[in-house]
């Protein structure tokens, strides 16, 4: 029942019909098991050591430019129903998506596994705010390198940890990029696409690819962790157990 809810995004009413039970029973079963799965699945979203990353480095990363990459960072959003409260509505409105959303940060290892997934925040939050508050900086060490998109302007935050961000060259203020910048940007894009493939696989759990009702985001019984954050961790863990998306080089 829980896996059907996550993977297929089925409504509680539909599940109640399939399992020949009532709506309230389905809700209780799913939320009770989600609490258990959240505790268990945290062990499958792991921040690996540098040694582990180096041992499992894909062929595409085995060069001078990318061999020190610790992870690939991206932010993604999930549509939600429009909140009734004006403040919640404003905090969750994403000008980028033109819709109310929740937003979260995902880090993929070079080998394609999700090594970090942040708690969800309102779609209005900036990348800088999310990065500063999600706890990722506590895991970053001196010398770490991360691949990011052009719009991820958090260099100063990572610089405080003596870490470095690699992103494609900016075209703003330039007539055109140099030949070297074009080649390097293509290299970045070719390896950075793996985090987008990973997020796509994560959203194959259709509960994350449909507009979420407000009731799914946080329940009255949630204390330290909201329901949406439990769902994110469980879906990330299940996604990590699937077939690898990148061939590991030897």
């Amino acid at each position: 029942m829980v896996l059907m809810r996550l993977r297929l995004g089925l409504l509680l009413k539909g599940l109640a019909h399939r399992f020949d039970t009532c709506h309230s029973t389905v809700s209780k079963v799913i939320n009770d098991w989600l609490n258990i799965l959240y505790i268990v699945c945290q062990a499958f979203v792991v921040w690996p050591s540098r040694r582990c990353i180096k041992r499992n480095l894909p062929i595409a990363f085995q060069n001078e430019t990318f061999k020190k990459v610790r992870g690939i960072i991206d932010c993604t959003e999930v549509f939600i129903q429009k909140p009734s409260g004006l403040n919640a509505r404003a905090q969750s409105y994403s000008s980028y998506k033109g819709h109310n959303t929740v937003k979260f940060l995902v880090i993929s290892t070079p080998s394609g596994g999700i090594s970090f997934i942040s708690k969800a925040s309102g779609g209005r939050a900036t990348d800088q705010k999310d990065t500063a508050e999600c706890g990722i900086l506590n895991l970053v060490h001196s010398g770490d390198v991360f691949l990011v998109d052009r719009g991820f302007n958090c260099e100063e935050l990572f610089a405080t940890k003596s870490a470095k961000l690699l992103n494609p060259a900016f075209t703003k203020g330039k007539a055109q990029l140099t030949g070297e910048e074009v080649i390097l940007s293509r290299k970045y894009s070719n390896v950075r696409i793996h985090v987008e493939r990973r997020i796509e696989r994560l959203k194959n759990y259709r509960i994350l690819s449909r507009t979420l009702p407000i009731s799914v985001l946080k329940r009255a019984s949630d204390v330290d962790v909201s329901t949406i954050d439990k769902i994110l961790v469980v879906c990330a863990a299940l996604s990590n157990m699937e077939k690898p998306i990148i061939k590991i080089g030897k």
Side-chain angles (χ1 to χ4, degrees):
M1 186 186 292
V2 178
L3 294 177
M4 289 174 72
R5 171 71 167 149
L6 298 177
R7 185 68 173 182
L8 304 177
L10 298 179
L11 299 177
L12 300 184
K13 184 178 180 180
L15 287 169
H17 176 73
R18 289 168 184 257
F19 286 89
D20 192 23
T21 186
C22 64
H23 183 285
S24 59
T25 298
V26 172
S27 179
K28 185 178 187 307
V29 168
I30 288 177
N31 284 287
D32 287 349
W33 273 103
L34 188 60
N35 291 333
I36 296 170
L37 285 171
Y38 169 71
I39 294 171
V40 173
C41 286
Q42 289 181 75
F44 296 93
V45 182
V46 181
W47 188 254
S49 65
R50 287 177 178 173
R51 182 179 179 183
C52 180
I53 290 176
K54 186 175 181 180
R55 189 169 62 243
N56 296 283
L57 205 62
I59 295 173
F61 287 82
Q62 294 179 7
N63 57 58
E64 282 299 317
T65 305
F66 304 121
K67 68 179 182 179
K68 293 183 179 180
V69 169
R70 190 78 182 268
I72 312 168
I73 303 175
D74 202 2
C75 291
T76 188
E77 299 178 66
V78 175
F79 283 11
I80 63 172
Q81 290 180 345
K82 184 183 293 186
S84 57
L86 293 179
N87 187 50
R89 192 181 302 176
Q91 292 299 321
S92 63
Y93 185 78
S94 169
S95 56
Y96 178 68
K97 294 291 186 179
H99 200 283
N100 292 89
T101 68
V102 289
K103 180 179 180 181
F104 53 96
L105 180 145
V106 177
I107 299 183
S108 168
T109 64
S111 58
I114 295 177
S115 57
F116 181 88
I117 189 162
S118 72
K119 291 184 177 181
S121 60
R124 184 181 176 183
T126 63
D127 291 344
Q128 292 87 344
K129 184 176 185 295
D130 283 343
T131 303
E133 296 179 356
C134 72
I136 182 56
L137 295 176
N138 296 328
L139 300 174
V140 175
H141 293 94
S142 176
D144 285 348
V145 177
F146 296 90
L147 283 171
V148 298
D149 198 7
R150 285 189 180 94
F152 192 81
N153 301 316
C154 298
E155 289 85 355
E156 293 182 1
L157 291 175
F158 283 83
T160 62
K161 297 289 184 176
S162 299
K164 183 180 179 182
L165 299 183
L166 296 179
N167 52 20
F170 284 89
T171 55
K172 187 176 180 179
K174 298 180 181 179
Q176 64 180 32
L177 299 177
T178 65
E180 184 179 348
E181 287 176 330
V182 170
I183 293 172
L184 193 57
S185 293
R186 285 177 180 170
K187 287 182 178 179
Y188 286 172
S189 298
N190 286 339
V191 293
R192 202 192 152 277
I193 195 173
H194 296 311
V195 74
E196 296 174 5
R197 293 173 62 202
R198 170 51 64 183
I199 290 174
E200 180 181 4
R201 180 175 286 187
L202 177 64
K203 289 188 176 180
N204 282 340
Y205 289 84
R206 295 181 186 172
I207 194 169
L208 298 177
S209 63
R210 298 179 177 179
T211 302
L212 292 174
I214 299 300
S215 59
V216 173
L217 303 182
K218 188 172 183 178
R219 291 169 56 86
S221 57
D222 292 340
V223 181
D224 297 321
V225 184
S226 62
T227 299
I228 180 60
D229 293 328
K230 295 171 188 175
I231 290 172
L232 290 175
V233 169
V234 173
C235 289
L238 293 173
S239 173
N240 278 345
M241 296 179 199
E242 296 179 25
K243 183 180 179 181
I245 62 173
I246 306 173
K247 183 178 180 180
I248 306 301
K250 298 295 184 182

